Amino acid sequence: MAEKEIQVVQNIFDENDRIAFATQEKLGKMGVFVVNIMGAPGAGKTSSIINLIQQLSENKVYVIEGDIESDIDTVKLKELGIEAIQINTNGACHLDAPTIQSSLDGLSFDKPGLLFIENIGNLVCPAEFQIGEHIKMLICSAAEGSDKPYKYPLAFEKADVILLTKCDLKTYVDFNDEFFFKGVRALNKTAPVFEVNAKTGQGFEDVAGWLLQRKS
Amino acid sequence: MHEFPITEQIIKIASEKAKENNARSITRITLVVGEQSGFIGESIQMYFDIISKDTLCEGAVLEMENIKAKWYCPDCNIHYARQPFSFACPDCGNDGMPTNIGKEFYVKDIEIETE
């Protein structure tokens, strides 16, 4: 009987990442640009999706809605004529690559365009998982306070673009712009921050423009 | 928080590698766990003891190499460990930038017994 040491050096997320990459490639080849939308519960993910779709009227948009339970957001989107499907994790706190891969058959992908995947409302775990996206969009509302970058660094670090929503509420919540932006910039030197208001639509034209530029 | 599925993956990776090398059993699995990977060693050990039963991994010692998180200052071209709640470079005082040092999470090697 002999003992032997074997080098492995294998990332524990390998399998998830392999599937994520396959999804990203497959959809990319079909001309579908995938956006993973993360943010705390109630930050304004669905409202931002609805506003962006209004701005992206020349483009086909598909939506995958992720929630622990309920189809409230999917019903709302479908009523607006948007092709959307619901994933209920019944407990899991984030979407992962295998879950997204097995849901793709539920969408037609008959035209090139954009796929918005609304992740589970959670400022912690979604940042850790690749699910097949081309970019990660972080939705952060002014109502959550200006200290979020300091408390949830990974979400801000991993974001390719950040939407600061409910910016009309800043004065009511004593939002400190300098403190917020200092935290964001320390963690992320490149992601643009768009200040938006989903009730009036302010700011979403710029976000849509940025998305289309990234897509091309 | 996700230590259960993560431990299943560790056992899968180690078992596949061991089978490739005709192992009778695995005696040790070395993990590299960055301090910012978000995974708690004790939780992994707890799940490992349960899930490894009746697998090649049963009885294996789990060794964990911890890696401290480092930030990078582009002005000074140095890596540094953050002071608690600060992003500042110890040399120039400017806020540096995060790196992937301290976020590692992989199976480094295994020790097996062959026939």
Side-chain angles (χ1 to χ4, degrees), chain A residues 29-102:
Chain A
K29 284 196 176 115
M30 285 159 49
V32 178
F33 185 67
V34 187
V35 185
N36 179 358
I37 300 178
M38 329 181 285
K45 294 183 291 299
T46 314
S47 304
S48 294
I49 288 173
I50 291 170
N51 271 275
L52 282 171
I53 290 174
Q54 284 163 356
Q55 292 293 330
L56 292 164
S57 49
E58 308 289 305
N59 297 266
K60 178 73 192 269
V61 180
Y62 310 89
V63 182
I64 296 177
E65 275 290 332
D67 285 292
I68 294 178
E69 281 196 29
S70 160
D71 64 352
I72 291 172
D73 296 340
T74 305
V75 167
K76 197 187 292 185
L77 291 164
K78 280 178 160 167
E79 278 168 2
L80 296 169
I82 298 162
E83 190 178 339
I85 57 170
Q86 180 75 50
I87 294 176
N88 287 132
T89 65
N90 299 314
C93 50
H94 62 271
L95 296 173
D96 63 13
T99 305
I100 293 300
Q101 188 188 54
S102 51

Side-chain angles (χ1 to χ4, degrees), chain A:
Chain A
M1 199 161 64
E3 276 182 3
K4 200 165 128 186
E5 185 179 284
I6 316 276
Q7 292 298 305
V8 178
V9 192
Q10 187 169 345
N11 193 323
I12 290 154
F13 286 113
D14 251 13
E15 194 168 311
N16 180 81
D17 292 355
R18 190 181 48 80
I19 296 171
F21 185 67
T23 297
Q24 187 200 63
E25 274 227 310
K26 173 178 163 168
L27 293 178
K29 284 196 176 115
M30 285 159 49
V32 178
F33 185 67
V34 187
V35 185
N36 179 358
I37 300 178
M38 329 181 285
K45 294 183 291 299
T46 314
S47 304
S48 294
I49 288 173
I50 291 170
N51 271 275
L52 282 171
I53 290 174
Q54 284 163 356
Q55 292 293 330
L56 292 164
S57 49
E58 308 289 305
N59 297 266
K60 178 73 192 269
V61 180
Y62 310 89
V63 182
I64 296 177
E65 275 290 332
D67 285 292
I68 294 178
E69 281 196 29
S70 160
D71 64 352
I72 291 172
D73 296 340
T74 305
V75 167
K76 197 187 292 185
L77 291 164
K78 280 178 160 167
E79 278 168 2
L80 296 169
I82 298 162
E83 190 178 339
I85 57 170
Q86 180 75 50
I87 294 176
N88 287 132
T89 65
N90 299 314
C93 50
H94 62 271
L95 296 173
D96 63 13
T99 305
I100 293 300
Q101 188 188 54
S102 51
S103 74
L104 295 178
D105 283 342
L107 290 165
S108 70
F109 294 122
D110 56 353
K111 292 195 187 84
L114 296 97
L115 169 62
F116 290 137
I117 303 177
E118 184 180 328
N119 216 314
I120 310 296
N122 179 345
L123 206 39
V124 184
C125 315
E128 301 169 25
F129 293 89
Q130 303 274 71
I131 59 175
E133 72 272 34
H134 293 99
I135 61 164
K136 279 184 163 68
M137 174 182 284
L138 176 63
I139 308 289
C140 176
S141 74
E144 291 161 65
S146 27
D147 58 2
K148 290 299 153 295
Y150 301 85
K151 293 186 175 180
Y152 298 89
L154 193 67
F156 287 85
E157 190 187 321
K158 292 294 180 188
D160 293 290
V161 60
I162 298 169
L163 267 55
L164 181 61
T165 59
K166 310 186 190 182
C167 60
D168 50 324
L169 298 182
K170 276 188 189 178
T171 47
Y172 298 104
V173 300
D174 297 326
F175 193 85
N176 184 330
D177 274 322
E178 200 185 316
F179 188 58
F180 177 77
F181 282 100
K182 178 173 154 60
V184 172
R185 279 304 152 236
L187 294 160
N188 193 321
K189 306 299 182 212
T190 54
V193 180
F194 292 98
E195 298 193 37
V196 297
N197 178 339
K199 299 210 74 166
T200 62
Q202 174 207 337
F204 284 100
E205 194 182 335
D206 292 339
V207 182
W210 184 89
L211 275 175
L212 290 174
Q213 263 204 333
R214 270 303 283 254
K215 178 181 187 292
S216 56

Side-chain angles (χ1 to χ4, degrees), chain A residues 6-11, chain B residues 13-14 17-18 30 106-110:
Chain A
I6 316 276
Q7 292 298 305
V8 178
V9 192
Q10 187 169 345
N11 193 323
Chain B
I13 291 170
K17 207 69 183 178
T30 309
Y106 61 93
V107 178
K108 182 177 168 187
D109 58 53
I110 59 174

Side-chain angles (χ1 to χ4, degrees), chain B residues 10-16 18 25-29 48 51-61 110:
Chain B
I10 292 168
I11 290 171
K12 186 174 175 202
I13 291 170
S15 299
E16 276 172 6
S25 67
I26 302 173
T27 51
R28 187 194 76 225
I29 303 172
F48 184 81
I51 310 172
S52 63
K53 283 195 168 59
D54 301 324
T55 72
L56 275 177
C57 296
E58 186 171 357
V61 168
I110 59 174

